Amino acid sequence: MCNTSCVVGGGYRVVTFEVAHVGTIGDYVTSNGPIYDASGWFAEMPKGTVVAYALCAS
């Protein structure tokens, strides 16, 4: 379903995260992958900040 370019790969980078009281990481990425129509990439986590990156091809 790509008009001009399609996602052929991607990934994410965690920018900030929450830390539990005992010093372990208290947050994590729950999902990441291509958007259903291959127009981009998504990543999400319950708390903190995550940035998604997409590699596209024409």
mmCIF file of all heavy atoms in Angstrom:
data_model
loop_
_atom_site.group_PDB
_atom_site.id
_atom_site.type_symbol
_atom_site.label_atom_id
_atom_site.label_comp_id
_atom_site.label_asym_id
_atom_site.label_seq_id
_atom_site.Cartn_x
_atom_site.Cartn_y
_atom_site.Cartn_z
ATOM 1 N N MET A 1 0.820 -1.197 0.000
ATOM 2 C CA MET A 1 0.000 0.000 0.000
ATOM 3 C C MET A 1 0.860 1.255 0.000
ATOM 4 O O MET A 1 0.498 2.256 0.563
ATOM 5 C CB MET A 1 -0.901 0.011 1.223
ATOM 6 C CG MET A 1 -2.005 -1.017 1.206
ATOM 7 S SD MET A 1 -3.097 -0.867 2.633
ATOM 8 C CE MET A 1 -4.172 0.420 2.049
ATOM 9 N N CYS A 2 2.001 1.219 -0.598
ATOM 10 C CA CYS A 2 2.889 2.377 -0.606
ATOM 11 C C CYS A 2 2.684 3.180 -1.888
ATOM 12 O O CYS A 2 2.629 2.620 -2.968
ATOM 13 C CB CYS A 2 4.336 1.920 -0.527
ATOM 14 S SG CYS A 2 4.669 0.906 0.889
ATOM 15 N N ASN A 3 2.612 4.491 -1.735
ATOM 16 C CA ASN A 3 2.462 5.353 -2.898
ATOM 17 C C ASN A 3 3.810 5.766 -3.463
ATOM 18 O O ASN A 3 4.082 5.561 -4.638
ATOM 19 C CB ASN A 3 1.627 6.584 -2.546
ATOM 20 C CG ASN A 3 0.190 6.224 -2.231
ATOM 21 O OD1 ASN A 3 -0.327 5.247 -2.765
ATOM 22 N ND2 ASN A 3 -0.446 6.988 -1.376
ATOM 23 N N THR A 4 4.647 6.363 -2.645
ATOM 24 C CA THR A 4 5.946 6.829 -3.118
ATOM 25 C C THR A 4 7.108 6.074 -2.489
ATOM 26 O O THR A 4 8.108 5.852 -3.135
ATOM 27 C CB THR A 4 6.119 8.335 -2.845
ATOM 28 O OG1 THR A 4 5.956 8.570 -1.447
ATOM 29 C CG2 THR A 4 5.087 9.135 -3.627
ATOM 30 N N SER A 5 7.001 5.701 -1.228
ATOM 31 C CA SER A 5 8.053 4.929 -0.574
ATOM 32 C C SER A 5 7.441 4.040 0.502
ATOM 33 O O SER A 5 6.357 4.312 1.004
ATOM 34 C CB SER A 5 9.114 5.846 0.045
ATOM 35 O OG SER A 5 8.570 6.587 1.101
ATOM 36 N N CYS A 6 8.151 2.970 0.829
ATOM 37 C CA CYS A 6 7.684 2.016 1.841
ATOM 38 C C CYS A 6 8.743 1.810 2.902
ATOM 39 O O CYS A 6 9.935 1.888 2.630
ATOM 40 C CB CYS A 6 7.403 0.656 1.195
ATOM 41 S SG CYS A 6 5.960 0.600 0.166
ATOM 42 N N VAL A 7 8.296 1.524 4.103
ATOM 43 C CA VAL A 7 9.204 1.197 5.194
ATOM 44 C C VAL A 7 9.761 -0.203 4.953
ATOM 45 O O VAL A 7 9.016 -1.143 4.718
ATOM 46 C CB VAL A 7 8.475 1.256 6.551
ATOM 47 C CG1 VAL A 7 9.341 0.695 7.657
ATOM 48 C CG2 VAL A 7 8.064 2.673 6.855
ATOM 49 N N VAL A 8 11.081 -0.321 4.981
ATOM 50 C CA VAL A 8 11.724 -1.628 4.830
ATOM 51 C C VAL A 8 12.429 -2.067 6.108
ATOM 52 O O VAL A 8 12.926 -3.180 6.198
ATOM 53 C CB VAL A 8 12.710 -1.641 3.640
ATOM 54 C CG1 VAL A 8 11.958 -1.450 2.339
ATOM 55 C CG2 VAL A 8 13.787 -0.594 3.798
ATOM 56 N N GLY A 9 12.480 -1.182 7.097
ATOM 57 C CA GLY A 9 13.106 -1.499 8.374
ATOM 58 C C GLY A 9 12.941 -0.339 9.328
ATOM 59 O O GLY A 9 12.441 0.716 8.961
ATOM 60 N N GLY A 10 13.352 -0.540 10.561
ATOM 61 C CA GLY A 10 13.236 0.532 11.537
ATOM 62 C C GLY A 10 13.683 0.076 12.904
ATOM 63 O O GLY A 10 14.148 -1.049 13.081
ATOM 64 N N GLY A 11 13.538 0.953 13.839
ATOM 65 C CA GLY A 11 13.931 0.647 15.202
ATOM 66 C C GLY A 11 13.553 1.779 16.124
ATOM 67 O O GLY A 11 12.747 2.630 15.778
ATOM 68 N N TYR A 12 14.156 1.807 17.303
ATOM 69 C CA TYR A 12 13.818 2.829 18.286
ATOM 70 C C TYR A 12 15.016 3.140 19.155
ATOM 71 O O TYR A 12 15.986 2.396 19.205
ATOM 72 C CB TYR A 12 12.641 2.395 19.155
ATOM 73 C CG TYR A 12 12.926 1.177 19.994
ATOM 74 C CD1 TYR A 12 13.486 1.298 21.256
ATOM 75 C CD2 TYR A 12 12.639 -0.097 19.523
ATOM 76 C CE1 TYR A 12 13.751 0.188 22.031
ATOM 77 C CE2 TYR A 12 12.885 -1.213 20.294
ATOM 78 C CZ TYR A 12 13.440 -1.065 21.536
ATOM 79 O OH TYR A 12 13.697 -2.158 22.314
ATOM 80 N N ARG A 13 14.903 4.280 19.852
ATOM 81 C CA ARG A 13 15.905 4.697 20.830
ATOM 82 C C ARG A 13 15.155 5.197 22.051
ATOM 83 O O ARG A 13 14.266 6.044 21.948
ATOM 84 C CB ARG A 13 16.779 5.812 20.267
ATOM 85 C CG ARG A 13 17.817 6.340 21.239
ATOM 86 C CD ARG A 13 18.732 7.361 20.584
ATOM 87 N NE ARG A 13 18.028 8.515 20.094
ATOM 88 C CZ ARG A 13 17.831 9.652 20.775
ATOM 89 N NH1 ARG A 13 18.295 9.759 22.007
ATOM 90 N NH2 ARG A 13 17.181 10.652 20.244
ATOM 91 N N VAL A 14 15.469 4.654 23.219
ATOM 92 C CA VAL A 14 14.856 5.109 24.467
ATOM 93 C C VAL A 14 15.593 6.373 24.907
ATOM 94 O O VAL A 14 16.808 6.372 25.066
ATOM 95 C CB VAL A 14 14.926 4.020 25.555
ATOM 96 C CG1 VAL A 14 14.403 4.550 26.882
ATOM 97 C CG2 VAL A 14 14.146 2.787 25.124
ATOM 98 N N VAL A 15 14.834 7.445 25.069
ATOM 99 C CA VAL A 15 15.417 8.735 25.446
ATOM 100 C C VAL A 15 15.447 8.881 26.962
ATOM 101 O O VAL A 15 16.463 9.262 27.529
ATOM 102 C CB VAL A 15 14.618 9.886 24.805
ATOM 103 C CG1 VAL A 15 15.201 11.231 25.195
ATOM 104 C CG2 VAL A 15 14.599 9.736 23.284
ATOM 105 N N THR A 16 14.332 8.608 27.621
ATOM 106 C CA THR A 16 14.267 8.655 29.080
ATOM 107 C C THR A 16 13.517 7.427 29.563
ATOM 108 O O THR A 16 12.744 6.824 28.820
ATOM 109 C CB THR A 16 13.526 9.905 29.585
ATOM 110 O OG1 THR A 16 12.174 9.857 29.146
ATOM 111 C CG2 THR A 16 14.188 11.177 29.112
ATOM 112 N N PHE A 17 13.736 7.050 30.794
ATOM 113 C CA PHE A 17 13.028 5.913 31.365
ATOM 114 C C PHE A 17 12.811 6.151 32.856
ATOM 115 O O PHE A 17 13.450 6.996 33.458
ATOM 116 C CB PHE A 17 13.757 4.593 31.124
ATOM 117 C CG PHE A 17 15.167 4.558 31.657
ATOM 118 C CD1 PHE A 17 15.424 4.165 32.952
ATOM 119 C CD2 PHE A 17 16.225 4.928 30.848
ATOM 120 C CE1 PHE A 17 16.721 4.135 33.442
ATOM 121 C CE2 PHE A 17 17.524 4.905 31.332
ATOM 122 C CZ PHE A 17 17.767 4.510 32.625
ATOM 123 N N GLU A 18 11.900 5.410 33.409
ATOM 124 C CA GLU A 18 11.604 5.491 34.835
ATOM 125 C C GLU A 18 12.450 4.460 35.578
ATOM 126 O O GLU A 18 12.685 3.365 35.073
ATOM 127 C CB GLU A 18 10.129 5.194 35.075
ATOM 128 C CG GLU A 18 9.183 6.152 34.391
ATOM 129 C CD GLU A 18 9.157 7.520 35.043
ATOM 130 O OE1 GLU A 18 9.251 7.588 36.288
ATOM 131 O OE2 GLU A 18 9.054 8.509 34.306
ATOM 132 N N VAL A 19 12.881 4.779 36.784
ATOM 133 C CA VAL A 19 13.660 3.853 37.594
ATOM 134 C C VAL A 19 12.854 3.507 38.843
ATOM 135 O O VAL A 19 12.306 4.396 39.503
ATOM 136 C CB VAL A 19 15.021 4.472 37.986
ATOM 137 C CG1 VAL A 19 15.800 3.539 38.882
ATOM 138 C CG2 VAL A 19 15.828 4.802 36.735
ATOM 139 N N ALA A 20 12.783 2.225 39.154
ATOM 140 C CA ALA A 20 12.079 1.778 40.353
ATOM 141 C C ALA A 20 12.880 2.164 41.599
ATOM 142 O O ALA A 20 14.059 2.508 41.512
ATOM 143 C CB ALA A 20 11.870 0.261 40.302
ATOM 144 N N HIS A 21 12.282 2.080 42.751
ATOM 145 C CA HIS A 21 12.929 2.474 44.009
ATOM 146 C C HIS A 21 14.158 1.628 44.331
ATOM 147 O O HIS A 21 15.052 2.070 45.016
ATOM 148 C CB HIS A 21 11.935 2.401 45.167
ATOM 149 C CG HIS A 21 10.820 3.379 45.041
ATOM 150 N ND1 HIS A 21 11.003 4.733 45.168
ATOM 151 C CD2 HIS A 21 9.506 3.200 44.763
ATOM 152 C CE1 HIS A 21 9.858 5.354 44.998
ATOM 153 N NE2 HIS A 21 8.925 4.442 44.745
ATOM 154 N N VAL A 22 14.224 0.396 43.821
ATOM 155 C CA VAL A 22 15.360 -0.467 44.138
ATOM 156 C C VAL A 22 16.508 -0.296 43.151
ATOM 157 O O VAL A 22 17.496 -0.989 43.241
ATOM 158 C CB VAL A 22 14.931 -1.950 44.196
ATOM 159 C CG1 VAL A 22 13.975 -2.178 45.351
ATOM 160 C CG2 VAL A 22 14.310 -2.378 42.888
ATOM 161 N N GLY A 23 16.361 0.617 42.196
ATOM 162 C CA GLY A 23 17.453 0.899 41.280
ATOM 163 C C GLY A 23 17.395 0.145 39.963
ATOM 164 O O GLY A 23 18.274 0.292 39.131
ATOM 165 N N THR A 24 16.374 -0.671 39.750
ATOM 166 C CA THR A 24 16.246 -1.363 38.471
ATOM 167 C C THR A 24 15.383 -0.538 37.521
ATOM 168 O O THR A 24 14.585 0.296 37.952
ATOM 169 C CB THR A 24 15.599 -2.755 38.651
ATOM 170 O OG1 THR A 24 14.315 -2.585 39.232
ATOM 171 C CG2 THR A 24 16.445 -3.642 39.524
ATOM 172 N N ILE A 25 15.549 -0.778 36.251
ATOM 173 C CA ILE A 25 14.745 -0.049 35.281
ATOM 174 C C ILE A 25 13.289 -0.448 35.458
ATOM 175 O O ILE A 25 12.949 -1.623 35.444
ATOM 176 C CB ILE A 25 15.223 -0.335 33.845
ATOM 177 C CG1 ILE A 25 16.643 0.201 33.671
ATOM 178 C CG2 ILE A 25 14.275 0.264 32.821
ATOM 179 C CD1 ILE A 25 17.271 -0.119 32.346
ATOM 180 N N GLY A 26 12.434 0.535 35.640
ATOM 181 C CA GLY A 26 11.034 0.275 35.882
ATOM 182 C C GLY A 26 10.170 0.462 34.663
ATOM 183 O O GLY A 26 8.957 0.474 34.768
ATOM 184 N N ASP A 27 10.752 0.626 33.490
ATOM 185 C CA ASP A 27 9.978 0.821 32.281
ATOM 186 C C ASP A 27 10.683 0.138 31.116
ATOM 187 O O ASP A 27 11.868 -0.182 31.187
ATOM 188 C CB ASP A 27 9.807 2.299 32.000
ATOM 189 C CG ASP A 27 8.533 2.599 31.243
ATOM 190 O OD1 ASP A 27 7.829 1.652 30.860
ATOM 191 O OD2 ASP A 27 8.249 3.776 31.022
ATOM 192 N N TYR A 28 9.964 -0.075 30.066
ATOM 193 C CA TYR A 28 10.490 -0.824 28.931
ATOM 194 C C TYR A 28 9.625 -0.549 27.706
ATOM 195 O O TYR A 28 8.489 -0.087 27.820
ATOM 196 C CB TYR A 28 10.478 -2.320 29.248
ATOM 197 C CG TYR A 28 9.165 -2.761 29.845
ATOM 198 C CD1 TYR A 28 8.104 -3.169 29.035
ATOM 199 C CD2 TYR A 28 8.971 -2.712 31.221
ATOM 200 C CE1 TYR A 28 6.889 -3.525 29.585
ATOM 201 C CE2 TYR A 28 7.758 -3.070 31.767
ATOM 202 C CZ TYR A 28 6.724 -3.479 30.949
ATOM 203 O OH TYR A 28 5.517 -3.820 31.487
ATOM 204 N N VAL A 29 10.145 -0.831 26.538
ATOM 205 C CA VAL A 29 9.384 -0.688 25.296
ATOM 206 C C VAL A 29 8.414 -1.863 25.209
ATOM 207 O O VAL A 29 8.814 -3.016 25.322
ATOM 208 C CB VAL A 29 10.318 -0.644 24.071
ATOM 209 C CG1 VAL A 29 9.534 -0.636 22.782
ATOM 210 C CG2 VAL A 29 11.227 0.575 24.155
ATOM 211 N N THR A 30 7.136 -1.557 25.043
ATOM 212 C CA THR A 30 6.120 -2.600 24.989
ATOM 213 C C THR A 30 5.854 -3.078 23.573
ATOM 214 O O THR A 30 5.419 -4.215 23.382
ATOM 215 C CB THR A 30 4.802 -2.109 25.606
ATOM 216 O OG1 THR A 30 4.404 -0.900 24.937
ATOM 217 C CG2 THR A 30 4.977 -1.851 27.098
ATOM 218 N N SER A 31 6.084 -2.230 22.574
ATOM 219 C CA SER A 31 5.895 -2.662 21.194
ATOM 220 C C SER A 31 6.640 -1.728 20.258
ATOM 221 O O SER A 31 6.848 -0.551 20.555
ATOM 222 C CB SER A 31 4.408 -2.705 20.822
ATOM 223 O OG SER A 31 3.833 -1.434 20.954
ATOM 224 N N ASN A 32 7.060 -2.273 19.124
ATOM 225 C CA ASN A 32 7.647 -1.463 18.066
ATOM 226 C C ASN A 32 7.542 -2.255 16.780
ATOM 227 O O ASN A 32 7.586 -3.488 16.773
ATOM 228 C CB ASN A 32 9.086 -1.067 18.410
ATOM 229 C CG ASN A 32 10.127 -2.066 17.983
ATOM 230 O OD1 ASN A 32 10.743 -1.898 16.949
ATOM 231 N ND2 ASN A 32 10.337 -3.104 18.769
ATOM 232 N N GLY A 33 7.356 -1.554 15.689
ATOM 233 C CA GLY A 33 7.218 -2.218 14.397
ATOM 234 C C GLY A 33 6.703 -1.271 13.346
ATOM 235 O O GLY A 33 6.450 -0.097 13.607
ATOM 236 N N PRO A 34 6.537 -1.766 12.129
ATOM 237 C CA PRO A 34 6.040 -0.913 11.054
ATOM 238 C C PRO A 34 4.558 -0.580 11.243
ATOM 239 O O PRO A 34 3.796 -1.377 11.785
ATOM 240 C CB PRO A 34 6.238 -1.761 9.802
ATOM 241 C CG PRO A 34 6.251 -3.166 10.293
ATOM 242 C CD PRO A 34 6.831 -3.120 11.674
ATOM 243 N N ILE A 35 4.169 0.600 10.808
ATOM 244 C CA ILE A 35 2.757 0.976 10.784
ATOM 245 C C ILE A 35 2.069 0.103 9.742
ATOM 246 O O ILE A 35 2.667 -0.270 8.731
ATOM 247 C CB ILE A 35 2.609 2.474 10.465
ATOM 248 C CG1 ILE A 35 3.235 3.288 11.600
ATOM 249 C CG2 ILE A 35 1.152 2.859 10.236
ATOM 250 C CD1 ILE A 35 3.282 4.775 11.351
ATOM 251 N N TYR A 36 0.829 -0.249 9.967
ATOM 252 C CA TYR A 36 0.114 -1.245 9.158
ATOM 253 C C TYR A 36 0.165 -0.998 7.648
ATOM 254 O O TYR A 36 0.165 -1.935 6.873
ATOM 255 C CB TYR A 36 -1.349 -1.355 9.598
ATOM 256 C CG TYR A 36 -2.203 -0.186 9.192
ATOM 257 C CD1 TYR A 36 -2.952 -0.243 8.025
ATOM 258 C CD2 TYR A 36 -2.266 0.971 9.950
ATOM 259 C CE1 TYR A 36 -3.738 0.833 7.631
ATOM 260 C CE2 TYR A 36 -3.026 2.034 9.572
ATOM 261 C CZ TYR A 36 -3.770 1.967 8.407
ATOM 262 O OH TYR A 36 -4.532 3.024 8.015
ATOM 263 N N ASP A 37 0.225 0.257 7.200
ATOM 264 C CA ASP A 37 0.242 0.529 5.763
ATOM 265 C C ASP A 37 1.653 0.799 5.230
ATOM 266 O O ASP A 37 1.821 1.281 4.119
ATOM 267 C CB ASP A 37 -0.684 1.691 5.416
ATOM 268 C CG ASP A 37 -0.240 3.007 6.047
ATOM 269 O OD1 ASP A 37 0.749 3.013 6.823
ATOM 270 O OD2 ASP A 37 -0.892 4.031 5.775
ATOM 271 N N ALA A 38 2.684 0.481 6.021
ATOM 272 C CA ALA A 38 4.094 0.635 5.653
ATOM 273 C C ALA A 38 4.492 2.090 5.413
ATOM 274 O O ALA A 38 5.428 2.371 4.675
ATOM 275 C CB ALA A 38 4.442 -0.219 4.435
ATOM 276 N N SER A 39 3.794 3.024 6.068
ATOM 277 C CA SER A 39 4.101 4.441 5.895
ATOM 278 C C SER A 39 5.032 4.983 6.971
ATOM 279 O O SER A 39 5.456 6.134 6.895
ATOM 280 C CB SER A 39 2.808 5.258 5.890
ATOM 281 O OG SER A 39 2.153 5.148 7.146
ATOM 282 N N GLY A 40 5.388 4.183 7.968
ATOM 283 C CA GLY A 40 6.258 4.634 9.044
ATOM 284 C C GLY A 40 6.512 3.530 10.045
ATOM 285 O O GLY A 40 6.161 2.370 9.832
ATOM 286 N N TRP A 41 7.146 3.895 11.148
ATOM 287 C CA TRP A 41 7.499 2.957 12.209
ATOM 288 C C TRP A 41 6.958 3.502 13.515
ATOM 289 O O TRP A 41 6.883 4.717 13.709
ATOM 290 C CB TRP A 41 9.019 2.840 12.293
ATOM 291 C CG TRP A 41 9.515 1.639 13.024
ATOM 292 C CD1 TRP A 41 9.846 1.564 14.345
ATOM 293 C CD2 TRP A 41 9.761 0.347 12.484
ATOM 294 N NE1 TRP A 41 10.280 0.302 14.670
ATOM 295 C CE2 TRP A 41 10.235 -0.472 13.528
ATOM 296 C CE3 TRP A 41 9.628 -0.210 11.225
ATOM 297 C CZ2 TRP A 41 10.579 -1.795 13.357
ATOM 298 C CZ3 TRP A 41 9.969 -1.530 11.043
ATOM 299 C CH2 TRP A 41 10.438 -2.314 12.100
ATOM 300 N N PHE A 42 6.569 2.643 14.440
ATOM 301 C CA PHE A 42 6.096 3.101 15.737
ATOM 302 C C PHE A 42 6.826 2.364 16.850
ATOM 303 O O PHE A 42 7.333 1.265 16.656
ATOM 304 C CB PHE A 42 4.579 2.913 15.878
ATOM 305 C CG PHE A 42 4.191 1.479 16.139
ATOM 306 C CD1 PHE A 42 4.005 1.029 17.434
ATOM 307 C CD2 PHE A 42 4.034 0.591 15.100
ATOM 308 C CE1 PHE A 42 3.663 -0.293 17.681
ATOM 309 C CE2 PHE A 42 3.683 -0.730 15.333
ATOM 310 C CZ PHE A 42 3.504 -1.170 16.624
ATOM 311 N N ALA A 43 6.888 3.003 17.995
ATOM 312 C CA ALA A 43 7.424 2.392 19.214
ATOM 313 C C ALA A 43 6.710 3.048 20.372
ATOM 314 O O ALA A 43 6.411 4.246 20.328
ATOM 315 C CB ALA A 43 8.926 2.610 19.317
ATOM 316 N N GLU A 44 6.411 2.265 21.404
ATOM 317 C CA GLU A 44 5.736 2.842 22.559
ATOM 318 C C GLU A 44 6.196 2.179 23.843
ATOM 319 O O GLU A 44 6.635 1.037 23.843
ATOM 320 C CB GLU A 44 4.219 2.750 22.406
ATOM 321 C CG GLU A 44 3.686 1.356 22.240
ATOM 322 C CD GLU A 44 2.204 1.344 21.901
ATOM 323 O OE1 GLU A 44 1.589 2.407 21.745
ATOM 324 O OE2 GLU A 44 1.660 0.239 21.789
ATOM 325 N N MET A 45 6.125 2.963 24.900
ATOM 326 C CA MET A 45 6.427 2.475 26.235
ATOM 327 C C MET A 45 5.484 3.176 27.208
ATOM 328 O O MET A 45 5.049 4.295 26.945
ATOM 329 C CB MET A 45 7.900 2.692 26.588
ATOM 330 C CG MET A 45 8.433 4.083 26.432
ATOM 331 S SD MET A 45 10.239 4.231 26.489
ATOM 332 C CE MET A 45 10.686 3.609 28.073
ATOM 333 N N PRO A 46 5.097 2.502 28.316
ATOM 334 C CA PRO A 46 4.109 3.067 29.235
ATOM 335 C C PRO A 46 4.524 4.404 29.851
ATOM 336 O O PRO A 46 3.715 5.282 30.011
ATOM 337 C CB PRO A 46 3.969 2.010 30.328
ATOM 338 C CG PRO A 46 4.483 0.760 29.727
ATOM 339 C CD PRO A 46 5.503 1.161 28.720
ATOM 340 N N LYS A 47 5.794 4.540 30.186
ATOM 341 C CA LYS A 47 6.321 5.782 30.762
ATOM 342 C C LYS A 47 7.644 6.067 30.089
ATOM 343 O O LYS A 47 8.229 5.211 29.454
ATOM 344 C CB LYS A 47 6.520 5.639 32.269
ATOM 345 C CG LYS A 47 5.242 5.423 33.031
ATOM 346 C CD LYS A 47 5.530 5.294 34.507
ATOM 347 C CE LYS A 47 4.259 5.025 35.281
ATOM 348 N NZ LYS A 47 4.523 4.780 36.696
ATOM 349 N N GLY A 48 8.148 7.262 30.267
ATOM 350 C CA GLY A 48 9.398 7.613 29.626
ATOM 351 C C GLY A 48 9.176 8.059 28.187
ATOM 352 O O GLY A 48 8.050 8.238 27.748
ATOM 353 N N THR A 49 10.261 8.222 27.456
ATOM 354 C CA THR A 49 10.187 8.703 26.070
ATOM 355 C C THR A 49 10.955 7.774 25.160
ATOM 356 O O THR A 49 12.095 7.406 25.445
ATOM 357 C CB THR A 49 10.795 10.106 25.967
ATOM 358 O OG1 THR A 49 10.126 10.968 26.882
ATOM 359 C CG2 THR A 49 10.664 10.678 24.572
ATOM 360 N N VAL A 50 10.334 7.399 24.047
ATOM 361 C CA VAL A 50 10.971 6.562 23.038
ATOM 362 C C VAL A 50 10.793 7.239 21.682
ATOM 363 O O VAL A 50 9.762 7.858 21.415
ATOM 364 C CB VAL A 50 10.400 5.132 23.046
ATOM 365 C CG1 VAL A 50 8.926 5.124 22.718
ATOM 366 C CG2 VAL A 50 11.159 4.229 22.105
ATOM 367 N N VAL A 51 11.829 7.187 20.842
ATOM 368 C CA VAL A 51 11.789 7.767 19.500
ATOM 369 C C VAL A 51 11.904 6.631 18.487
ATOM 370 O O VAL A 51 12.799 5.798 18.590
ATOM 371 C CB VAL A 51 12.939 8.770 19.302
ATOM 372 C CG1 VAL A 51 12.948 9.320 17.885
ATOM 373 C CG2 VAL A 51 12.838 9.904 20.303
ATOM 374 N N ALA A 52 10.984 6.605 17.516
ATOM 375 C CA ALA A 52 10.996 5.573 16.475
ATOM 376 C C ALA A 52 11.691 6.097 15.227
ATOM 377 O O ALA A 52 11.590 7.284 14.899
ATOM 378 C CB ALA A 52 9.567 5.172 16.128
ATOM 379 N N TYR A 53 12.403 5.215 14.536
ATOM 380 C CA TYR A 53 13.088 5.544 13.292
ATOM 381 C C TYR A 53 12.635 4.567 12.208
ATOM 382 O O TYR A 53 12.457 3.381 12.467
ATOM 383 C CB TYR A 53 14.611 5.408 13.455
ATOM 384 C CG TYR A 53 15.187 6.390 14.437
ATOM 385 C CD1 TYR A 53 15.392 6.041 15.762
ATOM 386 C CD2 TYR A 53 15.507 7.680 14.040
ATOM 387 C CE1 TYR A 53 15.909 6.936 16.677
ATOM 388 C CE2 TYR A 53 16.027 8.599 14.937
ATOM 389 C CZ TYR A 53 16.232 8.213 16.252
ATOM 390 O OH TYR A 53 16.730 9.118 17.145
ATOM 391 N N ALA A 54 12.461 5.083 10.992
ATOM 392 C CA ALA A 54 12.039 4.245 9.872
ATOM 393 C C ALA A 54 13.064 4.323 8.745
ATOM 394 O O ALA A 54 13.606 5.389 8.470
ATOM 395 C CB ALA A 54 10.676 4.679 9.355
ATOM 396 N N LEU A 55 13.328 3.211 8.103
ATOM 397 C CA LEU A 55 14.167 3.139 6.915
ATOM 398 C C LEU A 55 13.226 2.885 5.745
ATOM 399 O O LEU A 55 12.524 1.871 5.704
ATOM 400 C CB LEU A 55 15.187 2.008 7.038
ATOM 401 C CG LEU A 55 16.073 1.756 5.830
ATOM 402 C CD1 LEU A 55 16.935 2.978 5.550
ATOM 403 C CD2 LEU A 55 16.924 0.526 6.051
ATOM 404 N N CYS A 56 13.200 3.808 4.809
ATOM 405 C CA CYS A 56 12.241 3.728 3.692
ATOM 406 C C CYS A 56 12.977 3.542 2.366
ATOM 407 O O CYS A 56 14.118 3.943 2.204
ATOM 408 C CB CYS A 56 11.421 5.002 3.621
ATOM 409 S SG CYS A 56 10.481 5.355 5.117
ATOM 410 N N ALA A 57 12.276 2.931 1.416
ATOM 411 C CA ALA A 57 12.803 2.720 0.071
ATOM 412 C C ALA A 57 11.739 3.116 -0.940
ATOM 413 O O ALA A 57 10.544 2.943 -0.701
ATOM 414 C CB ALA A 57 13.220 1.274 -0.130
ATOM 415 N N SER A 58 12.182 3.644 -2.051
ATOM 416 C CA SER A 58 11.254 4.038 -3.111
ATOM 417 C C SER A 58 11.092 2.926 -4.120
ATOM 418 O O SER A 58 11.966 2.143 -4.354
ATOM 419 C CB SER A 58 11.763 5.277 -3.841
ATOM 420 O OG SER A 58 11.880 6.343 -2.940
#
